[in-house]
Amino acid sequence: MDTNLELMAFAAVSNLAAAGLTVATAESCTGGLIAAAITGVPGASAVLRYGWVTYCNEAKERELGVPPAVLEEHTAVSEPVVAAMAQGAMRQSGADVAVAVSGNAGPTAAEGEPPVGTVCIALARRGAPRPVHTETLQLAGLPRNEIRNRVATKVLHMLASL
């Protein structure tokens, strides 16, 4: 595993545990990389509640409650979809915080989908003034696994900063 990813996972687990917070993950293009990094840290069981890999739209709908209309209107690689994924993961797991990722890591983009390197991320936090933070990353030109590693590292940094 990438050293930066490991360091961010350690920081995320340490800070979440110190704050008494639990987390759930909902991942598409990262394929469980975020949850795997978290579980690689001793003491992760104190913070990680659930992890979903919802690679297809059907899983996003069935497992996380993403409304089909949101997927149809915005596509899976969109801020509204990752916001719904994060909120669904938080609701389903009972965690204090949830993160969600959906993107196109390549090698090609389907017609009507955002270009390769486009990744949307969300962080939902129960009781926060702004309950969901979303953003879109543009990582065009990077190899598939580099996109996945950078996104996972970014999400873990967000968790470490809570």
Side-chain angles (χ1 to χ4, degrees), residues 43-55:
S45 60
V47 299
L48 184 64
R49 301 264 309 146
Y50 284 77
W52 285 271
V53 176
T54 55
Y55 211 66

Side-chain angles (χ1 to χ4, degrees), residues 26-136:
E27 303 178 63
S28 186
C29 68
T30 50
L33 187 58
I34 298 165
I38 290 171
T39 59
V41 176
S45 60
V47 299
L48 184 64
R49 301 264 309 146
Y50 284 77
W52 285 271
V53 176
T54 55
Y55 211 66
C56 68
N57 287 351
E58 181 184 342
K60 290 172 181 65
E61 293 172 20
R62 184 182 305 155
E63 299 296 319
L64 301 172
V66 176
V70 173
L71 283 158
E72 289 171 22
E73 181 179 348
H74 300 283
T75 81
V77 183
S78 67
E79 291 185 24
V81 168
V82 291
M85 289 170 65
Q87 289 171 316
M90 193 167 57
R91 182 180 58 252
Q92 293 287 91
S93 69
D96 302 304
V97 177
V99 292
V101 175
S102 187
N104 186 346
T108 60
E111 188 175 326
E113 290 288 328
V116 172
T118 304
V119 181
C120 297
I121 61 177
L123 184 143
R125 184 165 182 186
R126 192 176 314 284
R130 183 175 176 205
V132 182
H133 165 81
T134 61
E135 63 183 278
T136 300

